[in-house]
Amino acid sequence: MDEQDRRAAGERARELQPVLAARGVVSVAVTWVDNSGITRVKAVPLTKLDSAAAWGIGASPVFDSFLFNDLPITGEHAPGVVGDLRLHPDLEQLTVLAAQPGWALAPADRYDQQGNPHPQDQRTLARKATEALAELGFTAKVAIEVEWVIGRPDTEDFSAAVRGPAYGMARLVERSDYLRDLVTALADQGVELDQIHPEYAGGQFELSVGAADPVRAADTYVLVRETIRAVSSRHELRASFSPKVVADGVGNGGHIHLSVWDGQRNLFAGGSGPVGLTATAESFTAGILGRLPALLAVGAPSVASYLRLIPQHWAGAFAAWGLENRETALRMVTGPVGNQASAANLEVKCFDQTANPYLAIAALLFAGLAGIAEDAKLPEPVDVDPATLGTKELLRHGIRPLPASLAESVAAFEADQALTEAFGVELASTMVDVRKGEIAHFATASPEQVAAELRWVH
Ligand code: GLU
Ligand code: MG
């Protein structure tokens, strides 16, 4: 970002200021997501948006070192309290918030004072992954599904704030004003909502949104989560996105859907490979499948993630893929006949919402790209629940259970050259140090303690 870019950004903000003022905006929240998956923010009054766009908003680099409980870790590349980064709001993604009158939100890219991108900036990494895909002539379409539970606001414990069975109409009726306000807020913010419904666990709902380019999909995810939080708060509810709200229940996933496109052609449909995959989509998927243990250090990055990743909880706890199989980590979706060319995609089920969405999407794209470079092939698809197979059968199909702990995933990530190189040494090592800090923090904790400490954080 040179001086000319900065002045141009300031100019663009000056054009926006009266438009936003006319829409009642007085303040702009400028967000980024840290390595623990927490959205952090600094805000400026609308009158200072031009200076924020041009020169950035000062923020300490130490946030990269934060654990989920705000304690910073130390590490070889872990930033400390000395130094300054600049948060540059992405004005193209600025959204007027419907459930927080007077507020707008813009995701930030982080630069240093010289205008160089911060090497540990997660959103920048997602953009790099998109560019690496573009070098092969491809684009990706991505969407993150959001599951959450609503609880009562006056307790740290979880007590479901809606009754009724899984997918039960009763649940929708009891909270229809809440859900209406959410649907309205998302529509006012220009979010393309696909579906919204009560999910399996007590007090749980889910919504899905239309696919977008990788960075935009992560931005949308952040916006959706904060909108759910804001609407919940207006209804005197508390939302939890934790992978394990209570230690023995079904968790909240953060499933990621993705497809790779060559111009207007979806490479996940109309090919001659298994379930209609093209050779590129097969290799891309195989690259992800082969790297799932390492990818979990990014996409299932908390100690609580491993309380969720258990068989027969629809979390996809086996390193395997299958057509519409909800118990394999990778679920291939072809869509209905007639709509496959647009609908076919890969769903990564084993990820959850303690993940930084920018890192999670970047890691998947880099793993897929490594698969393309290796011309990787998929094993046979799995068409049963792997938990019903004996050890011999699992072995015969080449199905492995996913890592049972964060420590195992982190070790796999550290050993994965393609991913660590793509992340760059600074970001890779800080992310690993943050994971190790969380592992140490919970070394002697019971599942109940882990669930309780992470319940309301994300
Ligand atoms: N709640 C499940 C999970 O933890 C997912 C349910 C579903 O398939 O949507 O991932
Ligand atoms: Mg679901």
Side-chain angles (χ1 to χ4, degrees), residues 6-278:
R6 296 180 192 219
R7 292 196 188 280
E11 202 42 56
R12 172 85 188 107
R14 264 188 294 282
E15 286 164 19
L16 277 175
Q17 278 164 326
V19 180
L20 293 171
R23 295 183 62 189
V25 172
V26 294
S27 244
V28 181
V30 180
T31 57
W32 75 103
V33 184
D34 72 10
N35 288 317
S36 293
I38 294 171
T39 303
R40 310 264 176 194
V41 66
K42 283 201 137 184
V44 290
L46 182 60
T47 48
K48 291 289 164 68
L49 185 64
D50 52 343
S51 126
W55 311 114
I57 304 166
S60 168
V62 74
F63 296 109
D64 286 330
S65 307
F66 270 29
L67 294 180
F68 72 93
N69 59 6
D70 299 342
L71 292 177
I73 50 98
T74 52
E76 199 186 341
H77 297 282
V81 288
V82 178
D84 185 52
L85 292 173
R86 314 302 299 177
L87 306 173
H88 285 265
D90 183 341
L91 299 176
E92 299 309 313
Q93 294 301 323
L94 184 144
T95 304
V96 177
L97 296 178
Q100 289 164 258
W103 285 90
L105 181 150
D109 290 315
R110 295 183 299 157
Y111 291 83
D112 64 17
Q113 292 185 337
Q114 281 69 47
N116 304 309
H118 173 44
Q120 305 201 30
D121 185 56
Q122 297 86 351
R123 192 168 185 263
T124 301
L125 188 74
R127 193 172 303 112
K128 277 190 193 153
T130 313
E131 286 162 6
L133 198 61
E135 271 169 33
L136 299 184
F138 302 139
T139 55
K141 287 193 185 180
V142 183
I144 305 182
E145 287 179 6
V146 186
E147 295 186 328
W148 77 101
V149 297
I150 48 169
R152 314 242 164 239
D154 44 4
T155 168
E156 296 303 303
D157 296 336
F158 175 68
S159 157
V162 60
R163 291 160 296 186
Y167 291 83
M169 183 64 188
R171 218 185 268 181
L172 189 147
V173 171
E174 189 175 313
R175 284 295 175 188
S176 59
D177 287 356
Y178 167 66
L179 295 172
R180 178 207 56 218
D181 288 354
L182 183 52
V183 171
T184 307
L186 293 171
D188 288 350
Q189 292 171 181
V191 174
E192 183 196 344
L193 180 66
D194 273 351
Q195 282 187 30
I196 184 161
H197 58 83
E199 247 290 346
Y200 189 86
Q204 194 176 38
F205 292 101
E206 168 170 350
L207 68 78
S208 49
V209 298
D213 72 72
V215 175
R216 185 134 189 228
D219 290 341
T220 299
Y221 168 71
V222 171
L223 178 66
V224 168
R225 188 163 66 178
E226 298 315 320
T227 305
I228 292 171
R229 206 190 311 276
V231 175
S232 300
S233 160
R234 290 183 158 263
H235 283 260
E236 291 182 13
L237 300 168
R238 205 171 183 191
S240 170
F241 304 89
S242 169
K244 207 68 179 179
V245 181
V246 287
D248 56 0
V250 165
N252 290 314
H255 308 175
I256 300 188
H257 289 263
L258 63 168
S259 52
V260 178
W261 294 65
D262 184 355
Q264 295 304 310
R265 172 148 194 242
N266 181 356
L267 299 179
F268 277 75
S272 51
V275 306
L277 296 176
T278 64

Side-chain angles (χ1 to χ4, degrees), residues 293-426:
L295 288 168
L296 285 186
V298 186
S302 72
V303 170
S305 301
Y306 298 80
L307 301 174
R308 164 181 169 262
L309 277 178
I310 47 179
Q312 303 197 311
H313 283 60
W314 292 12
F318 288 91
W321 78 284
L323 179 61
E324 293 290 0
N325 192 332
R326 287 178 167 79
E327 284 295 341
T328 52
L330 303 185
R331 167 188 171 214
M332 201 61 77
V333 180
T334 53
V337 175
N339 194 32
Q340 296 183 336
S342 122
N345 71 86
L346 168 69
E347 179 183 32
V348 179
K349 289 188 65 77
C350 50
F351 283 15
D352 66 64
Q353 297 172 82
T354 53
N356 176 310
Y358 301 98
L359 291 184
I361 291 173
L364 289 172
L365 294 182
F366 283 126
L369 281 165
I372 293 175
E374 294 154 359
D375 199 18
K377 296 276 180 280
L378 282 171
E380 289 293 298
V382 174
D383 60 2
V384 293
D385 174 358
T388 63
L389 300 176
T391 321
K392 257 203 203 139
E393 282 287 280
L394 288 175
L395 223 65
R396 198 171 65 77
H397 289 287
I399 305 175
R400 290 161 300 137
L402 288 175
S405 70
L406 182 56
E408 269 179 62
S409 303
V410 169
F413 179 84
E414 286 184 287
D416 192 307
Q417 217 186 332
L419 288 177
T420 50
E421 275 179 12
F423 272 51
V425 62
E426 287 108 325

